[in-house]
Amino acid sequence: MPDALIRVYLPATLPMLAALRNEGLTAAAAHAVTADLREWYAEGDEEELEYVAFTRAAQSALRLLRRDPDAPRRRVVVSADLARTAVQRVDAELGSSMVKLTGPVPVQSVAAIHVDSADAAQDVAAAADQVEEALAGDPDAQFTVDSAEDHELEWFDVSELDTLL
């Protein structure tokens, strides 16, 4: 019997997509609908839970942008379907969507790639500069991060990876 699949959302940057194409995408952490997230948001249906995990991955992409000042200021989230054995629980904190991957995500496992449009770059740049302060509870920084989150990420099929690069 084949291993069950789980949808994971990997934060990334545009330069990281080249690695995805060539050797698979390695991520220190990813997000998924976990048992802890389900328990925390019990009234949410599957689509709402996936949106929470996706949004958290987009915010994690801001942290990657902060660490890579040369990357274009556009958030990237890679949605992939992986075997459950390739995904490990990180912690048991109520509401957590964080998971650890046991290895690189091959391009064949990618369901979609989500990228900010170019018109979001200014808001995303400001949010990347303020994301750590927002996570620490600074309300002004949170307002800046929320401004970036007002931009919906565009959907791309994995066959469009070369176009994105």
Side-chain angles (χ1 to χ4, degrees):
M1 182 171 148
D3 198 6
L5 297 178
I6 183 171
R7 172 70 49 99
V8 296
Y9 303 96
L10 294 89
T13 62
L14 284 171
M16 291 171 72
L17 292 180
L20 169 64
R21 181 185 62 193
N22 299 329
E23 65 262 1
L25 184 60
T26 302
H31 293 269
V33 176
T34 63
D36 298 315
L37 180 59
R38 284 183 198 284
E39 185 178 343
W40 172 74
Y41 194 28
E43 70 278 0
D45 63 20
E46 193 68 19
E47 188 174 320
E48 290 171 314
L49 293 169
E50 287 178 357
Y51 184 75
V52 170
F54 177 87
T55 301
R56 289 178 179 173
Q59 189 174 61
S60 294
L62 290 173
R63 297 177 90 179
L64 294 174
L65 289 171
R66 183 170 179 153
R67 289 185 215 122
D68 183 358
D70 296 328
R73 306 284 94 178
R74 294 165 72 188
R75 297 168 297 167
V76 176
V77 175
V78 176
S79 299
D81 295 319
L82 301 176
R84 288 195 181 276
T85 56
V87 181
Q88 297 176 341
R89 186 174 172 177
V90 172
D91 59 37
E93 184 177 319
L94 187 62
S96 177
S97 62
M98 190 81 69
V99 295
K100 181 180 176 188
L101 306 179
T102 60
V105 174
V107 70
Q108 298 88 341
S109 296
V110 173
I113 302 166
H114 311 269
V115 181
D116 273 311
S117 63
D119 69 338
Q122 185 175 359
D123 287 338
V124 170
D129 289 342
Q130 296 289 310
V131 67
E132 296 299 334
E133 292 82 354
L135 291 170
D138 180 323
D140 292 332
Q142 186 61 54
F143 179 80
T144 302
V145 169
D146 289 345
S147 294
E149 291 177 0
D150 288 342
H151 295 277
E152 292 288 326
L153 279 74
E154 297 177 343
W155 182 94
F156 295 89
D157 186 79
V158 70
S159 66
E160 298 175 277
L161 181 56
D162 287 334
T163 304
L164 287 169
L165 296 173

